Amino acid sequence: MHANNLTNLLDALTDTSVYVIEEDTHRLLYFNQRCQDLGLGKAVLGAKCHDIWPEVCTNCPLAGLRENSSNHIVCYDPLLKTAIDATANRILWDGDIRAVVITVTPHKPNFEEEQGLYKIKQMYAKSLVSVFDECIIVNLTGNYYVNCQKDLVWSGIPERGDFGVENRIYAQKVLHPDDLERFNECFSREAMLRIFE
């Protein structure tokens, strides 16, 4: 297969981001058209991935790679505003550069996940909003939330999104600045992950 054919093939994956970074420096060695589009003009060879897509660093699949050759995670992507599957695989680039190829695709729930969502919806419909005017369901590991309300007038909290970011924004809006540090010690996403661990 010619290199141009392979490039055209990878660019044709309109729902899949594929990029390769040097493992030690995180500098881009390759990216497909989908990455170019999501990079809003910042995706250039040699740039560091965290400078192009800083919003997704908190859910980077490299974090769980450690000594393994690959790692897969499901998480919320604030750029795509949906759950995604992100996979990191170690490879050799150009024969001698230690690199990682990362693929990102929209997450398609499996049967068990669909059933879990159905149960949450049922629980919500039957009880939560009959007791509370507002209920926020959070997946701390996946870093996303859903805000459920009794009526159609939404509060200042978006209906769904990145929990860590929205939690900080909301705290800054409603808390006195002197209380923010204490709030973050107990109620930031990082604090809650530590507590529930």
Side-chain angles (χ1 to χ4, degrees):
M1 179 184 288
H2 293 290
N4 284 347
N5 288 338
L6 183 56
T7 299
N8 291 338
L9 176 68
L10 292 172
D11 284 343
L13 301 173
T14 56
D15 283 344
T16 303
S17 298
V18 180
Y19 60 100
V20 179
I21 60 171
E22 187 176 11
E23 186 168 2
D24 295 332
T25 65
H26 293 192
R27 293 188 185 281
L28 276 176
L29 301 172
Y30 167 81
F31 52 90
N32 71 348
Q33 185 63 47
R34 175 80 166 153
C35 293
Q36 177 72 40
D37 296 342
L38 291 173
L40 302 174
K42 295 186 289 184
V44 293
L45 294 179
K48 293 186 177 182
C49 57
H50 54 263
D51 292 333
I52 301 165
W53 307 288
E55 303 88 345
V56 298
C57 286
T58 55
N59 292 319
C60 181
L62 266 71
L65 200 56
R66 296 185 185 91
E67 300 304 316
N68 301 321
S69 60
S70 68
N71 183 44
H72 171 258
I73 62 171
V74 177
C75 60
Y76 180 80
D77 187 316
L79 290 173
L80 299 173
K81 301 196 181 326
T82 189
I84 57 153
D85 286 285
T87 304
N89 288 292
R90 284 194 169 101
I91 62 170
L92 280 179
W93 188 257
D94 287 339
D96 62 349
I97 300 171
R98 289 182 29 203
V100 178
V101 60
I102 298 167
T103 58
V104 176
T105 57
H107 180 65
K108 304 222 179 348
N110 62 29
F111 179 76
E112 290 174 358
E113 291 169 323
E114 289 284 358
Q115 289 300 306
L117 287 172
Y118 177 76
K119 287 178 183 176
I120 288 173
K121 287 178 184 175
Q122 290 295 85
M123 180 176 67
Y124 161 70
K126 290 180 180 176
S127 64
L128 292 178
V129 292
S130 63
V131 177
F132 305 104
D133 290 338
E134 183 174 38
C135 178
I136 299 172
I137 301 169
V138 177
N139 179 324
L140 288 172
T141 307
N143 193 27
Y144 67 89
Y145 71 92
V146 176
N147 183 8
C148 308
Q149 288 189 238
K150 188 179 289 188
D151 56 42
L152 297 177
V153 181
W154 291 89
S155 68
I157 302 171
E159 184 178 355
R160 63 185 67 231
D162 180 312
F163 176 70
V165 170
E166 293 299 335
N167 189 33
R168 276 192 303 277
I169 291 170
Y170 191 73
Q172 289 170 346
K173 283 183 189 175
V174 300
L175 294 176
H176 189 278
D178 293 346
D179 297 327
L180 278 176
E181 184 177 343
R182 183 71 177 133
F183 174 86
N184 288 329
E185 287 172 6
C186 299
F187 298 107
S188 67
R189 175 181 174 246
E190 296 77 15
M192 287 194 250
L193 280 168
R194 189 174 58 250
I195 291 165
F196 285 111
E197 195 173 62

